[in-house]
Amino acid sequence: WLYFGHRLQSLNALKYFLLICGPVSSILYYELDIKELKYAYIGCKGVATTYKLFWDLYFDWGLFRGKGCHCLLRDKEIMKFPPCFYYISIIIDIIGLYWWVGVLYVYSIVDTPEDWNIGNEEFFNQVTWITWATLIVYMIRRTIWVLIRVENEFFSNFEEFRDIVTI
């Protein structure tokens, strides 16, 4: 990324570093049994998710750059879809990115070690449905993300994929 002059990619790498900090603190919490690491997990995950949301909306989708009545979107000339599609997509992106908060809440309801037994049928059913719901939410979010990301790149050529620097 430095060779081609894409200095913003270092900020993108920061996003992925922050996303890794959450699971690392979670693993350390379960292995070392230090209660403070639970709050480190929530804090790291919250900061990383918020940063990822900003990156998705501003850099990947090119939103918040418009003028006039659709100031949260792009200019009308570079929007393929109607404005309501983008607003609904923002809401779906927020729900998809912060889905982990709901999952964390559902798992915090079952707090006794007896309920976490993998042989417990109720626990197994709960994990199965949460996993399926998470997969469906992420698939919908990612599909919409790709549609708007490709559309933004087509109209704005932000990463200059069409310029041939070297052969």
Side-chain angles (χ1 to χ4, degrees), residues 72-130:
L72 294 179
L73 304 178
R74 288 181 249 137
D75 290 331
K76 192 80 167 162
E77 301 84 43
I78 57 174
M79 287 195 307
K80 179 166 178 51
F81 303 109
C84 65
F85 175 79
Y86 295 99
Y87 290 122
I88 292 170
S89 298
I90 290 171
I91 293 170
I92 291 172
D93 196 45
I94 291 170
I95 291 170
L97 286 174
Y98 287 98
W99 184 261
W100 63 271
V101 176
V103 172
L104 194 66
Y105 175 74
V106 169
Y107 283 133
S108 69
I109 292 173
V110 183
D111 211 17
T112 60
E114 301 85 36
D115 293 335
W116 285 95
N117 184 2
I118 195 66
N120 186 350
E121 185 176 336
E122 184 179 336
F123 173 75
F124 180 74
N125 288 335
Q126 184 179 8
V127 169
T128 303
W129 286 111
I130 289 173

Side-chain angles (χ1 to χ4, degrees), residues 55-71:
W55 191 272
D56 282 354
L57 298 179
Y58 190 77
F59 290 109
D60 289 342
W61 291 2
L63 300 180
F64 305 120
R65 299 175 189 194
K67 298 172 186 79
C69 64
H70 299 295
C71 63

